[in-house]
């Protein structure tokens, strides 16, 4: 039986999830691009979190945390884009 794989994907998902939550809220406005940056990074974090939850891997609770943070970052990014067009 093979040993479980590492938890690198879960750590990457948490870091990207935090990045996608914080970046749209920074007070830096460079022609309103900051509204759109959170969405692709949140999608990438969700992808890594799903990969971190599948198979025999360690750190599945950390991957779930990354999925929650990335989902929150996606919600913040979508909300920022909606507010931009109102």
């Amino acid at each position: 039986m093979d040993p479980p794989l590492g938890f690198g994907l879960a750590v990457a998902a948490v870091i990207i999830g935090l990045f996608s939550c914080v970046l749209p809220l920074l007070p830096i406005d460079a022609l309103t691009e900051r509204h759109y940056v959170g969405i692709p990074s949140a999608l990438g974090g969700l992808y890594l979190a799903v990969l971190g939850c599948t198979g025999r891997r360690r750190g599945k609770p950390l991957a779930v945390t990354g999925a929650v943070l990335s989902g929150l970052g996606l919600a913040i990014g979508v909300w920022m884009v909606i507010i931009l067009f109102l």
Side-chain angles (χ1 to χ4, degrees), residues 13 45-55 57 63 67:
L46 279 173
Y47 179 72
L48 290 175
V50 168
L51 286 179
C53 285
T54 59
R57 297 190 182 273

PDB file of all heavy atoms in Angstrom, residues 13 45-55 57 63 67:
ATOM      1  N   ALA A  13      -3.997  25.970  -1.794  1.00  0.00           N
ATOM      2  CA  ALA A  13      -5.392  26.412  -1.852  1.00  0.00           C
ATOM      3  C   ALA A  13      -5.700  27.431  -0.765  1.00  0.00           C
ATOM      4  O   ALA A  13      -6.403  28.418  -1.005  1.00  0.00           O
ATOM      5  CB  ALA A  13      -6.326  25.206  -1.730  1.00  0.00           C
ATOM      6  N   GLY A  45      -7.933  28.627  -6.651  1.00  0.00           N
ATOM      7  CA  GLY A  45      -7.909  28.083  -5.296  1.00  0.00           C
ATOM      8  C   GLY A  45      -8.933  26.970  -5.108  1.00  0.00           C
ATOM      9  O   GLY A  45      -8.656  25.971  -4.442  1.00  0.00           O
ATOM     10  N   LEU A  46     -10.124  27.143  -5.695  1.00  0.00           N
ATOM     11  CA  LEU A  46     -11.128  26.086  -5.621  1.00  0.00           C
ATOM     12  C   LEU A  46     -10.655  24.825  -6.337  1.00  0.00           C
ATOM     13  O   LEU A  46     -10.861  23.708  -5.856  1.00  0.00           O
ATOM     14  CB  LEU A  46     -12.445  26.567  -6.239  1.00  0.00           C
ATOM     15  CG  LEU A  46     -13.334  27.423  -5.349  1.00  0.00           C
ATOM     16  CD1 LEU A  46     -14.503  27.976  -6.142  1.00  0.00           C
ATOM     17  CD2 LEU A  46     -13.827  26.624  -4.173  1.00  0.00           C
ATOM     18  N   TYR A  47     -10.020  24.993  -7.475  1.00  0.00           N
ATOM     19  CA  TYR A  47      -9.503  23.848  -8.216  1.00  0.00           C
ATOM     20  C   TYR A  47      -8.456  23.094  -7.400  1.00  0.00           C
ATOM     21  O   TYR A  47      -8.500  21.871  -7.298  1.00  0.00           O
ATOM     22  CB  TYR A  47      -8.925  24.335  -9.548  1.00  0.00           C
ATOM     23  CG  TYR A  47      -8.333  23.235 -10.388  1.00  0.00           C
ATOM     24  CD1 TYR A  47      -9.148  22.308 -11.019  1.00  0.00           C
ATOM     25  CD2 TYR A  47      -6.958  23.115 -10.535  1.00  0.00           C
ATOM     26  CE1 TYR A  47      -8.608  21.290 -11.783  1.00  0.00           C
ATOM     27  CE2 TYR A  47      -6.414  22.111 -11.300  1.00  0.00           C
ATOM     28  CZ  TYR A  47      -7.249  21.193 -11.920  1.00  0.00           C
ATOM     29  OH  TYR A  47      -6.708  20.192 -12.676  1.00  0.00           O
ATOM     30  N   LEU A  48      -7.529  23.828  -6.807  1.00  0.00           N
ATOM     31  CA  LEU A  48      -6.507  23.182  -5.990  1.00  0.00           C
ATOM     32  C   LEU A  48      -7.102  22.525  -4.751  1.00  0.00           C
ATOM     33  O   LEU A  48      -6.648  21.465  -4.314  1.00  0.00           O
ATOM     34  CB  LEU A  48      -5.444  24.190  -5.587  1.00  0.00           C
ATOM     35  CG  LEU A  48      -4.527  24.682  -6.697  1.00  0.00           C
ATOM     36  CD1 LEU A  48      -3.611  25.776  -6.173  1.00  0.00           C
ATOM     37  CD2 LEU A  48      -3.735  23.545  -7.281  1.00  0.00           C
ATOM     38  N   ALA A  49      -8.133  23.142  -4.182  1.00  0.00           N
ATOM     39  CA  ALA A  49      -8.772  22.563  -2.998  1.00  0.00           C
ATOM     40  C   ALA A  49      -9.483  21.260  -3.342  1.00  0.00           C
ATOM     41  O   ALA A  49      -9.422  20.295  -2.577  1.00  0.00           O
ATOM     42  CB  ALA A  49      -9.753  23.558  -2.394  1.00  0.00           C
ATOM     43  N   VAL A  50     -10.137  21.216  -4.489  1.00  0.00           N
ATOM     44  CA  VAL A  50     -10.803  19.978  -4.904  1.00  0.00           C
ATOM     45  C   VAL A  50      -9.769  18.890  -5.154  1.00  0.00           C
ATOM     46  O   VAL A  50      -9.951  17.733  -4.758  1.00  0.00           O
ATOM     47  CB  VAL A  50     -11.683  20.228  -6.146  1.00  0.00           C
ATOM     48  CG1 VAL A  50     -12.142  18.927  -6.772  1.00  0.00           C
ATOM     49  CG2 VAL A  50     -12.877  21.080  -5.771  1.00  0.00           C
ATOM     50  N   LEU A  51      -8.661  19.246  -5.807  1.00  0.00           N
ATOM     51  CA  LEU A  51      -7.599  18.267  -6.008  1.00  0.00           C
ATOM     52  C   LEU A  51      -7.004  17.809  -4.677  1.00  0.00           C
ATOM     53  O   LEU A  51      -6.626  16.646  -4.533  1.00  0.00           O
ATOM     54  CB  LEU A  51      -6.495  18.860  -6.881  1.00  0.00           C
ATOM     55  CG  LEU A  51      -6.796  19.005  -8.364  1.00  0.00           C
ATOM     56  CD1 LEU A  51      -5.604  19.624  -9.074  1.00  0.00           C
ATOM     57  CD2 LEU A  51      -7.149  17.676  -8.980  1.00  0.00           C
ATOM     58  N   GLY A  52      -6.917  18.720  -3.712  1.00  0.00           N
ATOM     59  CA  GLY A  52      -6.392  18.369  -2.403  1.00  0.00           C
ATOM     60  C   GLY A  52      -7.314  17.474  -1.600  1.00  0.00           C
ATOM     61  O   GLY A  52      -6.874  16.773  -0.691  1.00  0.00           O
ATOM     62  N   CYS A  53      -8.609  17.477  -1.916  1.00  0.00           N
ATOM     63  CA  CYS A  53      -9.574  16.637  -1.197  1.00  0.00           C
ATOM     64  C   CYS A  53      -9.719  15.250  -1.806  1.00  0.00           C
ATOM     65  O   CYS A  53     -10.250  14.347  -1.164  1.00  0.00           O
ATOM     66  CB  CYS A  53     -10.943  17.318  -1.180  1.00  0.00           C
ATOM     67  SG  CYS A  53     -11.049  18.685  -0.036  1.00  0.00           S
ATOM     68  N   THR A  54      -9.292  15.064  -3.041  1.00  0.00           N
ATOM     69  CA  THR A  54      -9.498  13.782  -3.716  1.00  0.00           C
ATOM     70  C   THR A  54      -8.304  12.868  -3.507  1.00  0.00           C
ATOM     71  O   THR A  54      -7.174  13.314  -3.347  1.00  0.00           O
ATOM     72  CB  THR A  54      -9.726  13.989  -5.222  1.00  0.00           C
ATOM     73  OG1 THR A  54      -8.595  14.662  -5.772  1.00  0.00           O
ATOM     74  CG2 THR A  54     -10.976  14.791  -5.474  1.00  0.00           C
ATOM     75  N   GLY A  55      -8.566  11.595  -3.533  1.00  0.00           N
ATOM     76  CA  GLY A  55      -7.499  10.604  -3.438  1.00  0.00           C
ATOM     77  C   GLY A  55      -6.975  10.439  -2.022  1.00  0.00           C
ATOM     78  O   GLY A  55      -7.538  10.928  -1.049  1.00  0.00           O
ATOM     79  N   ARG A  57      -4.668  11.672   0.252  1.00  0.00           N
ATOM     80  CA  ARG A  57      -3.818  12.824   0.561  1.00  0.00           C
ATOM     81  C   ARG A  57      -3.962  13.172   2.033  1.00  0.00           C
ATOM     82  O   ARG A  57      -5.006  12.988   2.638  1.00  0.00           O
ATOM     83  CB  ARG A  57      -4.199  14.037  -0.274  1.00  0.00           C
ATOM     84  CG  ARG A  57      -4.002  13.846  -1.744  1.00  0.00           C
ATOM     85  CD  ARG A  57      -4.169  15.170  -2.453  1.00  0.00           C
ATOM     86  NE  ARG A  57      -4.020  15.006  -3.870  1.00  0.00           N
ATOM     87  CZ  ARG A  57      -2.857  15.053  -4.499  1.00  0.00           C
ATOM     88  NH1 ARG A  57      -1.755  15.265  -3.838  1.00  0.00           N
ATOM     89  NH2 ARG A  57      -2.789  14.892  -5.799  1.00  0.00           N
ATOM     90  N   ALA A  63      -7.507  21.441   3.030  1.00  0.00           N
ATOM     91  CA  ALA A  63      -8.045  21.642   1.692  1.00  0.00           C
ATOM     92  C   ALA A  63      -9.481  22.163   1.742  1.00  0.00           C
ATOM     93  O   ALA A  63      -9.871  23.004   0.934  1.00  0.00           O
ATOM     94  CB  ALA A  63      -7.982  20.349   0.892  1.00  0.00           C
ATOM     95  N   ALA A  67     -10.974  25.591   0.274  1.00  0.00           N
ATOM     96  CA  ALA A  67     -12.181  25.687  -0.550  1.00  0.00           C
ATOM     97  C   ALA A  67     -13.134  26.749   0.001  1.00  0.00           C
ATOM     98  O   ALA A  67     -13.725  27.522  -0.762  1.00  0.00           O
ATOM     99  CB  ALA A  67     -12.876  24.339  -0.625  1.00  0.00           C
TER     100      ALA A  67
END
